Amino acid sequence: MLRGISIASSSRSLIRSNRRFLTNTPPPANEPILQFAPGSEEVNKLKDAINELKKEAPHDIPVVIGGRELRMGEVREQVVPYNHSEKLARFHIADEQILQKAIEESLKVRKQWERTPMEERAKVFDKAADLIGGKYRYQVLASTLMGQAKTPIQAEIDATCELIDFYRYNAHYARALLNAQPQDGTDATNTMVYRGLEGFV
């Protein structure tokens, strides 16, 4: 959630980081849904991704904090929902101490992220959408089929298309919010700055 505040022209640093030129990108379109017709290229690619996922299972999933992989404490297994004898992954459980570290790391980078120009932040999500829709599409689909027992169409809609749209549309809306600024007065420059809520919601 974001909140707006009106501040005086003397507070330049945060204003510059947010008001630095935002590109007027065209509105995004919904990600096209692959149909997975029998014998189609997407079916063959999905089969290959599933076979690769099975070959490398069980996957080791650490806790990642501040870019560091942590493997400690309790470890549990995720089985394939439709075949409980098949182990898909082993994941490490975050205890209270690890969760506290995660909170501390998040607070460290909060100011840096908040002062990163909005255009650069929006591009992070644009890039993530492009990667999910391209390079990693079939890996995401395969892990959703095996991890949540979804059909190809269900996985395509829920795991790829919706996430891609979420990233692209919200990056677009963030640009639109920042481009909508209040009028300046004769003796003042008025700027609306959007800040993240302080704390956790």
Side-chain angles (χ1 to χ4, degrees), residues 31 44 62 78 80 85 89 106 121 144 165 170 180 200:
E31 178 70 12
N44 293 331
Q78 180 183 354
V80 177
S85 65
S106 297
R121 286 187 274 171
T144 305
D165 289 346
N170 281 288
F200 295 87

PDB file of all heavy atoms in Angstrom, residues 31 44 62 78 80 85 89 106 121 144 165 170 180 200:
ATOM      1  N   GLU A  31      -1.474 -10.960 -20.927  1.00  0.00           N
ATOM      2  CA  GLU A  31      -0.610 -11.988 -21.491  1.00  0.00           C
ATOM      3  C   GLU A  31      -1.456 -13.039 -22.210  1.00  0.00           C
ATOM      4  O   GLU A  31      -2.401 -13.592 -21.635  1.00  0.00           O
ATOM      5  CB  GLU A  31       0.205 -12.652 -20.380  1.00  0.00           C
ATOM      6  CG  GLU A  31       1.108 -13.755 -20.841  1.00  0.00           C
ATOM      7  CD  GLU A  31       2.286 -13.283 -21.676  1.00  0.00           C
ATOM      8  OE1 GLU A  31       2.525 -12.057 -21.718  1.00  0.00           O
ATOM      9  OE2 GLU A  31       2.963 -14.137 -22.252  1.00  0.00           O
ATOM     10  N   ASN A  44       5.018 -30.074 -26.116  1.00  0.00           N
ATOM     11  CA  ASN A  44       6.331 -30.721 -26.139  1.00  0.00           C
ATOM     12  C   ASN A  44       7.321 -30.027 -25.212  1.00  0.00           C
ATOM     13  O   ASN A  44       8.098 -30.681 -24.497  1.00  0.00           O
ATOM     14  CB  ASN A  44       6.873 -30.755 -27.565  1.00  0.00           C
ATOM     15  CG  ASN A  44       6.050 -31.656 -28.473  1.00  0.00           C
ATOM     16  OD1 ASN A  44       5.456 -32.632 -28.017  1.00  0.00           O
ATOM     17  ND2 ASN A  44       6.011 -31.331 -29.754  1.00  0.00           N
ATOM     18  N   PRO A  62      16.556 -23.544   0.059  1.00  0.00           N
ATOM     19  CA  PRO A  62      17.018 -22.892   1.297  1.00  0.00           C
ATOM     20  C   PRO A  62      16.169 -21.663   1.618  1.00  0.00           C
ATOM     21  O   PRO A  62      15.333 -21.224   0.818  1.00  0.00           O
ATOM     22  CB  PRO A  62      18.441 -22.480   0.943  1.00  0.00           C
ATOM     23  CG  PRO A  62      18.360 -22.184  -0.534  1.00  0.00           C
ATOM     24  CD  PRO A  62      17.365 -23.164  -1.102  1.00  0.00           C
ATOM     25  N   GLN A  78       8.368 -31.816   0.278  1.00  0.00           N
ATOM     26  CA  GLN A  78       7.134 -31.619  -0.474  1.00  0.00           C
ATOM     27  C   GLN A  78       6.994 -32.779  -1.444  1.00  0.00           C
ATOM     28  O   GLN A  78       7.911 -33.050  -2.244  1.00  0.00           O
ATOM     29  CB  GLN A  78       7.129 -30.300  -1.253  1.00  0.00           C
ATOM     30  CG  GLN A  78       5.838 -30.101  -2.045  1.00  0.00           C
ATOM     31  CD  GLN A  78       5.828 -28.843  -2.874  1.00  0.00           C
ATOM     32  OE1 GLN A  78       6.748 -28.030  -2.792  1.00  0.00           O
ATOM     33  NE2 GLN A  78       4.791 -28.666  -3.686  1.00  0.00           N
ATOM     34  N   VAL A  80       4.714 -34.831  -4.503  1.00  0.00           N
ATOM     35  CA  VAL A  80       3.817 -34.539  -5.616  1.00  0.00           C
ATOM     36  C   VAL A  80       2.401 -34.904  -5.162  1.00  0.00           C
ATOM     37  O   VAL A  80       2.178 -36.031  -4.694  1.00  0.00           O
ATOM     38  CB  VAL A  80       4.217 -35.348  -6.864  1.00  0.00           C
ATOM     39  CG1 VAL A  80       3.242 -35.099  -8.002  1.00  0.00           C
ATOM     40  CG2 VAL A  80       5.639 -34.984  -7.283  1.00  0.00           C
ATOM     41  N   SER A  85       4.588 -40.819  -3.150  1.00  0.00           N
ATOM     42  CA  SER A  85       5.878 -41.501  -3.072  1.00  0.00           C
ATOM     43  C   SER A  85       6.968 -40.739  -3.831  1.00  0.00           C
ATOM     44  O   SER A  85       8.151 -41.052  -3.703  1.00  0.00           O
ATOM     45  CB  SER A  85       5.765 -42.921  -3.637  1.00  0.00           C
ATOM     46  OG  SER A  85       5.473 -42.885  -5.032  1.00  0.00           O
ATOM     47  N   ALA A  89      10.654 -31.794  -3.499  1.00  0.00           N
ATOM     48  CA  ALA A  89      11.600 -30.824  -2.936  1.00  0.00           C
ATOM     49  C   ALA A  89      11.797 -31.061  -1.450  1.00  0.00           C
ATOM     50  O   ALA A  89      10.949 -31.652  -0.769  1.00  0.00           O
ATOM     51  CB  ALA A  89      11.108 -29.400  -3.173  1.00  0.00           C
ATOM     52  N   SER A 106      15.421  -6.557   5.577  1.00  0.00           N
ATOM     53  CA  SER A 106      14.432  -5.784   4.822  1.00  0.00           C
ATOM     54  C   SER A 106      14.477  -4.314   5.190  1.00  0.00           C
ATOM     55  O   SER A 106      14.394  -3.433   4.327  1.00  0.00           O
ATOM     56  CB  SER A 106      13.025  -6.347   5.076  1.00  0.00           C
ATOM     57  OG  SER A 106      12.913  -7.669   4.624  1.00  0.00           O
ATOM     58  N   ARG A 121      12.654   1.159 -10.591  1.00  0.00           N
ATOM     59  CA  ARG A 121      11.914   0.136  -9.851  1.00  0.00           C
ATOM     60  C   ARG A 121      10.876  -0.527 -10.746  1.00  0.00           C
ATOM     61  O   ARG A 121      10.694  -1.749 -10.702  1.00  0.00           O
ATOM     62  CB  ARG A 121      11.243   0.760  -8.625  1.00  0.00           C
ATOM     63  CG  ARG A 121      12.220   1.081  -7.511  1.00  0.00           C
ATOM     64  CD  ARG A 121      11.494   1.535  -6.264  1.00  0.00           C
ATOM     65  NE  ARG A 121      11.220   2.953  -6.287  1.00  0.00           N
ATOM     66  CZ  ARG A 121      10.454   3.588  -5.401  1.00  0.00           C
ATOM     67  NH1 ARG A 121       9.845   2.898  -4.450  1.00  0.00           N
ATOM     68  NH2 ARG A 121      10.270   4.886  -5.462  1.00  0.00           N
ATOM     69  N   THR A 144       4.454 -25.853 -11.232  1.00  0.00           N
ATOM     70  CA  THR A 144       3.073 -25.681 -10.779  1.00  0.00           C
ATOM     71  C   THR A 144       2.260 -26.945 -11.009  1.00  0.00           C
ATOM     72  O   THR A 144       1.451 -27.344 -10.156  1.00  0.00           O
ATOM     73  CB  THR A 144       2.416 -24.488 -11.500  1.00  0.00           C
ATOM     74  OG1 THR A 144       3.208 -23.319 -11.307  1.00  0.00           O
ATOM     75  CG2 THR A 144       1.015 -24.236 -10.962  1.00  0.00           C
ATOM     76  N   ASP A 165       0.765 -10.380 -15.745  1.00  0.00           N
ATOM     77  CA  ASP A 165      -0.137  -9.219 -15.778  1.00  0.00           C
ATOM     78  C   ASP A 165      -0.012  -8.390 -14.502  1.00  0.00           C
ATOM     79  O   ASP A 165      -0.034  -7.157 -14.548  1.00  0.00           O
ATOM     80  CB  ASP A 165      -1.585  -9.675 -15.952  1.00  0.00           C
ATOM     81  CG  ASP A 165      -1.863 -10.217 -17.347  1.00  0.00           C
ATOM     82  OD1 ASP A 165      -1.031 -10.009 -18.245  1.00  0.00           O
ATOM     83  OD2 ASP A 165      -2.912 -10.857 -17.533  1.00  0.00           O
ATOM     84  N   ASN A 170       0.867  -3.293 -12.649  1.00  0.00           N
ATOM     85  CA  ASN A 170       1.178  -2.482 -11.476  1.00  0.00           C
ATOM     86  C   ASN A 170       2.370  -1.568 -11.710  1.00  0.00           C
ATOM     87  O   ASN A 170       2.424  -0.461 -11.165  1.00  0.00           O
ATOM     88  CB  ASN A 170       1.389  -3.383 -10.258  1.00  0.00           C
ATOM     89  CG  ASN A 170       0.063  -3.839  -9.670  1.00  0.00           C
ATOM     90  OD1 ASN A 170      -0.656  -3.060  -9.056  1.00  0.00           O
ATOM     91  ND2 ASN A 170      -0.282  -5.099  -9.883  1.00  0.00           N
ATOM     92  N   ALA A 180       1.039  11.909 -12.292  1.00  0.00           N
ATOM     93  CA  ALA A 180      -0.083  12.771 -11.921  1.00  0.00           C
ATOM     94  C   ALA A 180       0.326  13.606 -10.720  1.00  0.00           C
ATOM     95  O   ALA A 180       0.257  13.148  -9.577  1.00  0.00           O
ATOM     96  CB  ALA A 180      -1.314  11.922 -11.607  1.00  0.00           C
ATOM     97  N   PHE A 200       4.812  -3.449   8.910  1.00  0.00           N
ATOM     98  CA  PHE A 200       4.304  -4.569   8.140  1.00  0.00           C
ATOM     99  C   PHE A 200       2.785  -4.581   8.197  1.00  0.00           C
ATOM    100  O   PHE A 200       2.183  -4.275   9.222  1.00  0.00           O
ATOM    101  CB  PHE A 200       4.869  -5.892   8.681  1.00  0.00           C
ATOM    102  CG  PHE A 200       6.344  -6.006   8.503  1.00  0.00           C
ATOM    103  CD1 PHE A 200       7.221  -5.507   9.455  1.00  0.00           C
ATOM    104  CD2 PHE A 200       6.874  -6.604   7.368  1.00  0.00           C
ATOM    105  CE1 PHE A 200       8.591  -5.603   9.298  1.00  0.00           C
ATOM    106  CE2 PHE A 200       8.238  -6.699   7.196  1.00  0.00           C
ATOM    107  CZ  PHE A 200       9.108  -6.210   8.156  1.00  0.00           C
TER     108      PHE A 200
END
